[in-house]
Amino acid sequence: MSASYLIGLREGLEATLVVSVLIAFLVKSDRRDKLPHVWAGVGAAILLSVAFGALLTFTATRLDYTDQELFEAITSLLAVVFVTWMIFWMRRTARALSGELRDKLSEALALGSFAVVVMAFLAVAREGLETALLFFAAAQGATTTAEPLIGICLGLLTSVVIGGPASTRSRRICGSTRTSARAAPWPTS
């Protein structure tokens, strides 16, 4: 259960961080009217992730034993590739991630409300799809117990409990400096 918990916690914190950056940027740039569009994109990404997890499970249950073993092996291998790729990607882009998200959100704001929804959706969907794949791969090793499901749900819940107040604090901080936000650009580091 602890491995599934850590998967849920890590992926949930990554998604929470992305959403917090988007929200803080909108508040700081005095575009609070676009916050519902960010939440719409986040909600759509969550629905896609749940649907992807259901599709993986449905597919696995419809296969005969040999094909199911192959399917589970491929999804486990994909999960390892995602984790490995994520480590190298995060190492390379961690410092610039916040600035990159702000730049993309600025472009989306210029294009319109639908672009903001799509941008938030894409930013969170990657984390959600990765979580669904990692969870599916982890759950295959424990077919007789619900512990992986409980672990990942607790991890995601913990990330919301930790990330929710952090997002609220960033909105308050950005909101209290609204006048200076117009005078000075958003810091890049």
Side-chain angles (χ1 to χ4, degrees), residues 24-32 109 174 178 181-182 186:
F25 177 77
L26 289 175
V27 170
K28 187 147 182 113
S29 60
D30 203 22
R31 299 298 307 261
R32 289 176 184 263
L109 285 168
C174 291
R178 192 177 301 152
R182 291 186 199 127
W186 187 277

Side-chain angles (χ1 to χ4, degrees), residues 70-157:
L70 179 62
F71 181 74
E72 291 172 4
I74 290 170
T75 56
S76 295
L77 183 61
L78 281 173
V80 169
V81 168
F82 272 132
V83 170
T84 305
W85 172 77
M86 196 60 202
I87 290 168
F88 289 112
W89 177 82
M90 193 56 98
R91 186 174 182 198
R92 187 180 69 242
T93 62
R95 293 179 192 247
L97 182 62
S98 179
E100 183 180 319
L101 284 170
R102 289 189 303 264
D103 291 343
K104 287 182 180 179
L105 187 54
S106 290
E107 293 171 15
L109 285 168
L111 293 173
S113 298
F114 185 70
V116 174
V117 173
V118 171
M119 192 270 164
F121 170 80
L122 292 174
V124 176
R126 188 184 58 110
E127 298 303 329
L129 293 173
E130 185 179 334
T131 302
L133 182 62
L134 291 172
F135 172 70
F136 178 79
Q140 297 314 303
T143 56
T144 60
T145 179
E147 284 187 12
L149 179 60
I150 293 168
I152 203 161
C153 289
L154 288 175
L156 290 169
L157 181 63

